[in-house]
Amino acid sequence: MTNSTHFGYKTVSEDDKVHEVAKVFHSVASKYDVMNDLMSGGLHRLWKTFTIANAGVRPGFKVLDIAGGTGDLARAFAKQAGKTGEVWLTDINESMLRVGRDRLLDKGLITPTLLCDAEKLPFPDNYFDRVSVAFGLRNMTHKDQALAEMRRVLKPGGKLLVLEFSKVAAALQKPYDLYSFSVLPWLGQKIAGDAESYRYLAESIRMHPDQDTLKTMMETAGLERVQYFNLTAGVAALHTGIKF
């Protein structure tokens, strides 16, 4: 028998969660960036800009962008790493990966793309200078295993960056809940024709570890100097850690 886990607020088998998450992203891939802009009022672009700045990618760096979706981070990293660098765009969802790959090509950036599972990364130990995952960790079934894999493929001195929705400040909790469980599904239905995927989004954020719990998980995975930065009162948070 397979173990059970959560898919939003539902309890499902681990195998079923993989399929359910895949269905969500197959459904929303074509409208992903439009919905992100609407849902966050464009703030997701500022959060990603902050993440890119903290990555400090330099020419020649090897960078792995996990759950890279439509390629926002990979595009910036590819420009910074230059022709001597190596930037991989990866995702477990083929629909999302195709959108990201095509957008990179449209920008004249030819960089490797790979369909892969973050819990079983097909890369050697100590390979990358930077590993990033933006808004993807909460969808992973075994987050501890994924974090351990991210650390494994980092070079000594390399940095992991995890940008994810997190626990909002207490004063904003009630209006944030109202927005998340009423407005988001309505937007999802109107724009993407899919209310359920955006209801899952709201639920998955609530089930994701809070800032301090994720910090502890990263330390348990073997990362050091772990810190986090709350963004927009904790709507999102950037966690960083170093491999020594």
Side-chain angles (χ1 to χ4, degrees):
M1 294 180 64
T2 60
N3 294 325
S4 62
T5 186
H6 59 82
F7 174 73
Y9 288 160
K10 299 175 185 176
T11 299
V12 298
S13 72
E14 291 182 351
D15 289 343
D16 285 344
K17 176 170 181 174
V18 172
H19 296 302
E20 291 298 323
V21 170
K23 284 197 298 184
V24 166
F25 286 96
H26 285 311
S27 173
V28 305
S30 64
K31 299 289 187 179
Y32 188 76
D33 281 343
V34 172
M35 281 298 298
N36 279 350
D37 281 333
L38 287 173
M39 289 188 302
S40 71
L43 286 171
H44 76 103
R45 298 184 184 275
L46 297 178
W47 301 336
K48 290 172 182 174
T49 297
F50 182 76
T51 301
I52 292 162
N54 271 271
V57 172
R58 299 196 296 272
F61 269 24
K62 294 179 180 178
V63 183
L64 173 62
D65 186 26
I66 294 172
T70 54
D72 289 346
L73 295 188
R75 182 167 63 250
F77 293 149
K79 290 178 180 178
Q80 292 171 336
K83 293 182 179 180
T84 58
E86 182 180 327
V87 177
W88 286 79
L89 171 65
T90 70
D91 205 295
I92 197 172
N93 186 276
E94 185 175 356
S95 297
M96 294 295 293
L97 189 64
R98 286 181 183 276
V99 172
R101 178 202 62 190
D102 291 349
R103 291 188 177 183
L104 288 170
L105 290 174
D106 288 345
K107 296 292 184 180
L109 295 169
I110 301 174
T111 192
T113 58
L114 181 68
L115 190 71
C116 75
D117 185 347
E119 297 176 16
K120 303 172 185 176
L121 293 172
F123 298 102
D125 297 354
N126 307 315
Y127 190 78
F128 291 101
D129 297 283
R130 297 289 185 271
V131 174
S132 65
V133 54
F135 305 113
L137 184 64
R138 75 180 186 285
N139 297 308
M140 297 175 191
T141 304
H142 305 104
K143 297 176 181 61
D144 53 350
Q145 183 174 327
L147 290 170
E149 277 289 273
M150 295 174 202
R151 180 193 178 278
R152 177 184 65 80
V153 301
L154 273 172
K155 295 177 181 178
K159 179 188 283 189
L160 170 64
L161 303 104
V162 181
L163 176 63
E164 188 54 88
F165 293 113
S166 201
K167 186 173 179 61
V168 73
L172 298 178
Q173 190 64 62
K174 286 186 179 180
Y176 185 56
D177 283 347
L178 178 64
Y179 174 77
S180 298
F181 292 105
S182 297
V183 178
L184 286 190
W186 180 83
L187 276 175
Q189 184 61 44
K190 290 293 183 181
I191 305 301
D194 183 353
E196 285 304 310
S197 290
Y198 289 92
R199 189 168 288 111
Y200 161 73
L201 168 64
E203 293 177 359
S204 70
I205 292 169
R206 301 320 187 276
M207 298 300 290
H208 185 67
D210 64 17
Q211 289 91 326
D212 289 318
T213 302
L214 181 53
K215 179 177 183 289
T216 299
M217 290 173 67
M218 290 174 65
E219 290 168 342
T220 301
L223 292 154
E224 300 187 44
R225 295 186 185 175
V226 179
Q227 59 183 332
Y228 64 82
F229 307 89
N230 280 322
L231 306 172
T232 316
V235 172
L238 172 65
H239 285 69
T240 64
I242 307 295
K243 175 178 177 177
F244 287 121

